[in-house]
Amino acid sequence: CGFAMLRATRGIILLAGAATAAAVEARGPADAKPVVLITGGTGRLGSLLYNQSRADDRVGSVKALVTNTTAARETLGCDACDASEGIYLGDVTNISTLEPAMVGVDAVLIAVGASPDATPEVAKAVEVGGVQNTATALYRAGGTQAVLCSSMGTTSPDPDPAEGGSILFWKLNAEASLLAADLRVAVVKPCGLGTNEGGQRNLTVGQDDTLLDDLRVPIVPRADVARVMIETLFHGAPKLRFDLCATLTGAPTTDLSALLDEARYPTR
């Protein structure tokens, strides 16, 4: 998710339908707190999503999809690091490995992304196929909502490799697939990703990469990206797609719901 660009100051990274009776039964009452699955759970953004979701009183149980239990133990603090603790081994490019984790899940926060040095084949498999597999597995389990961390920089037809290169094309394809799904979908497109604490910056939203030109230093803390992604679960908009960045001045953003109201497109 998002892209830390090599340049000095700029950075660029679900389907509702007929669920099985078992999936519906596992889900519980409609007014229950949502069960959330984080994909890419041991990554820098994924681990923030995992910890923030667990600390959020509005969220029910939290699961994580990981590719390595050793990393899960070190990053997420699990003991057994298995299904008994909501930790599932899986690979988004292999849909059969996603199915156990999806049982009873209401929403997925997608924080998986291809490495900048991945081959085009691998990048497409992870960025596009991985998102499509995640959406399909969620659909089959009766889930209703997905939130994707994509990236700014997707308006360029030929992005510089230092700004994401061809991976941005695959991210844009993943966005299109997800937004076409009959689910509640939010696509969050951050600018450069920073390591500062969340809740300390003035956040701003936009469309079509204009923030990259408007802001002198287009960087947003990963922790704030996680905060915003979680907030979309409770905002109520059926579809959201927006750029996200932070300003160097201004009061810290505390009303994330109002921020998401600003992110609606088109505006009246």
Side-chain angles (χ1 to χ4, degrees):
C1 163
F3 250 88
M5 294 170 55
L6 301 181
R7 294 179 180 173
T9 61
R10 296 188 64 178
I12 312 292
I13 248 185
L14 271 189
L15 310 179
T20 64
V24 173
E25 183 177 352
R27 195 162 311 285
D31 60 351
K33 295 179 179 180
V35 176
V36 175
L37 172 67
I38 318 295
T39 66
T42 58
R44 286 177 290 181
L45 176 64
S47 58
L48 288 167
L49 287 166
Y50 180 79
N51 290 323
Q52 289 186 23
S53 295
R54 293 185 69 190
D56 195 315
D57 291 339
R58 300 171 296 175
V59 176
S61 60
V62 180
K63 301 180 179 184
L65 186 79
V66 304
T67 57
N68 185 294
T69 54
T70 299
R73 187 169 290 107
E74 294 172 351
T75 306
L76 305 181
C78 52
D79 294 317
C81 297
D82 59 17
S84 68
E85 294 180 305
I87 307 297
Y88 293 82
L89 275 175
D91 178 353
V92 294
T93 66
N94 182 349
I95 192 170
S96 67
T97 69
L98 306 182
E99 292 166 354
M102 289 292 180
V103 175
V105 167
D106 299 294
V108 177
L109 301 175
I110 303 172
V112 172
S115 168
D117 58 0
T119 66
E121 293 75 19
V122 170
K124 180 180 180 181
V126 173
E127 297 285 353
V128 183
V131 169
Q132 292 173 339
N133 286 343
T134 301
T136 300
L138 179 66
Y139 169 79
R140 291 174 178 172
T144 59
Q145 189 172 9
V147 183
L148 171 67
C149 183
S150 181
S151 174
M152 289 178 65
T154 57
T155 57
S156 172
D158 186 24
D160 189 302
E163 299 180 357
S166 62
I167 285 183
L168 295 180
F169 173 74
W170 301 126
K171 289 183 182 294
L172 189 61
N173 275 263
E175 294 177 23
S177 292
L178 204 53
L179 287 164
D182 186 17
L183 284 177
R184 286 181 56 200
V185 173
V187 176
V188 182
K189 298 166 64 68
C191 57
L193 298 175
T195 59
N196 292 6
E197 290 185 17
Q200 306 299 313
R201 300 285 297 276
N202 179 263
L203 304 180
T204 184
V205 293
Q207 300 285 339
D208 300 327
D209 291 337
T210 57
L211 296 179
L212 293 177
D213 297 321
D214 295 343
L215 299 175
R216 185 163 59 88
V217 183
I219 294 177
V220 63
R222 277 188 184 84
D224 281 323
V225 176
R227 290 174 62 220
V228 171
M229 289 179 69
I230 293 168
E231 187 64 31
T232 64
L233 299 177
F234 306 99
H235 183 257
K239 305 283 185 183
L240 281 172
R241 177 183 182 265
F242 58 93
D243 299 341
L244 175 68
C245 207
T247 64
L248 294 177
T249 59
T253 299
T254 57
D255 190 342
L256 296 180
S257 180
L259 183 74
L260 294 178
D261 286 340
E262 294 178 29
R264 288 177 180 269
Y265 177 84
T267 57
R268 293 187 182 278

